[in-house]
Amino acid sequence: MGYFEMSKLALKWALTKPPTTRYPFEPRQPIAGSRGQIVFTKDNCVYCTVCAKKCPTGALVVNRAEKKWVIDRLRCINCGYCAEICPKKSLTMVEGHGSPAVTRDREFH
Ligand code: SF4
Ligand code: SF4
């Protein structure tokens, strides 16, 4: 490729909006039809442990005695099953993406 053609190409890309986004600095837009993410509402929860027993990936741990509900976001595949079966509607799927999880830290409630 000659110098002129290369300069033309470089100029074109310098003036064109990139096809990618600067995630995580720019929030990701929800994709139409995507499931979203699980949100836990502590007020209704009776710590029955049903969600933890049925979660296909073992992302949830519920401790009835200590009234603790814990999710490992890196394990969760956002299938929404726990939200479907929760008898108290403490779990819901909401549109959008959460903050990116970069460690195995769990979310305690
Ligand atoms: S199934 Fe619902 S009520 Fe039962 S522990 Fe899970 S979130 Fe709480
Ligand atoms: S959405 Fe699916 S994978 Fe995530 S916690 Fe609920 S049941 Fe488990």
Side-chain angles (χ1 to χ4, degrees):
M1 186 182 289
Y3 177 76
F4 179 70
E5 278 180 33
M6 208 159 66
S7 305
K8 216 169 99 180
L9 204 57
L11 188 65
K12 179 189 159 195
W13 283 112
L15 299 174
T16 308
K17 188 178 182 296
T20 53
T21 59
R22 289 176 40 78
Y23 181 82
F25 306 109
E26 285 175 23
R28 269 173 75 189
Q29 296 306 311
I31 300 163
S34 65
R35 288 175 186 266
Q37 62 170 327
I38 282 289
V39 170
F40 174 65
T41 309
K42 192 177 180 142
D43 300 346
N44 308 340
C45 181
V46 291
Y47 302 93
C48 64
T49 74
V50 168
C51 55
K53 283 179 186 149
K54 298 288 183 180
C55 173
T57 63
L60 299 176
V61 177
V62 178
N63 187 319
R64 189 179 302 180
E66 293 177 16
K67 293 195 182 320
K68 286 224 169 85
W69 185 94
V70 183
I71 185 168
D72 181 340
R73 293 277 177 194
L74 286 184
R75 279 189 172 219
C76 175
I77 55 171
N78 296 326
C79 64
Y81 190 45
C82 55
E84 269 177 42
I85 58 169
C86 173
K88 293 293 179 182
K89 304 289 176 223
S90 291
L91 299 168
T92 42
M93 292 294 282
V94 298
E95 195 182 57
H97 306 281
S99 304
V102 290
T103 66
R104 283 231 163 260
D105 292 345
R106 292 169 171 193
E107 216 177 285
F108 289 83
H109 293 274

